[in-house]
Amino acid sequence: MAKARYEGYSEGTPTKLVKETFGDTKVYAQNAKSILNPATGFIAAYDFTLNPYRGCQYGCSYCYAAAFSPNSQMRQDWGKWVIIKENAAQILEKELETWYKKNPHKFPKIYMSSVTDPYQPIESKHQLTRSLLEVMLEYRPTLVIQTRSPIITRDIDILQRFQRLRINMSIPTGSESVRRDFEARSPSIKARLNAITKIKQTIDPLKGFIPKVSITITPLLPTLPEDEAAFIEKLAIADRIVIQEFHASHNRSLVAGTREEAQGIKQKYAWWYDLEQVNYMKFKENLISRLPSVEIKEGKDGFGYE
């Protein structure tokens, strides 16, 4: 089958036109053939990954998912385009029905999402992720939601109905200046912490299920020394902290790795990266000593539900 040609990112007549613009983001729409993909590698403990969108408006400089862009032009413009899987909810229901026909007594384990943010800004308009949550409620999966977005608080009414839910909130640094350098399009650190606080404080345990909460400091970015103590103190709201170094760098497309953009930004923080292993271990030790009641895990070990 011929590859889709996206308007603005292809030569010749495009087969996918820009449906709308959302800020500076080109938005395309297409139907998905499948929405549940077998989980492998880093998250092989799950049965499926679930990505409502392709592409991500946050466009973080270090994001490995850029490697899976439709073409090299879109990889370079990571963050400025997104593809909506319009039929995602209908496909999900069919695939979950198929799962239970084959596995009538086994709840699927689903990781949402592996190569996009299910609560990126376009979700506030299209509510695609919300529609998927509504479908999943009927099938009672074990669900992990990976996001950096406070938009997730919109769905507290649904989230509290999942018996087996973990929310992974990505907060790679405790310093706003560092965040702006590495992920300028993403929500503030304060907004992310406030979102977790709101989720935990809003849900009445007599009326709903309070989700497990991880804060994923992945990749671990520098936190300025003057910010570290206050940042670690705020992390106590989670039951788990996950830390991880940068992915290895790759120049080839379709290979997950840290992008050149992030490698350039790292030079600004030579005081950290010239002694990266030492600083990583110091930060890890500080987490362990200051958060005795919080589980501290590294890399792959931290991304399971339990």
Side-chain angles (χ1 to χ4, degrees), residues 220-223 228 269-276 279-280 283:
L220 174 62
L221 302 179
T223 291
E228 184 175 298
Y269 296 95
W271 60 269
W272 172 278
Y273 289 107
D274 284 351
L275 295 170
E276 185 173 8
N279 287 316
Y280 178 96
F283 187 81

Side-chain angles (χ1 to χ4, degrees), residues 61-62 171-174 178-179 181-183 217-224 231 244 246 262 266 272-273 283:
S61 63
Y62 49 79
I171 311 179
T173 175
V178 178
R179 179 199 65 78
D181 280 338
F182 281 96
E183 41 173 75
I217 309 178
T218 57
L220 174 62
L221 302 179
T223 291
L224 301 180
F231 178 48
Q244 173 190 316
F246 270 99
K266 286 171 70 175
W272 172 278
Y273 289 107
F283 187 81

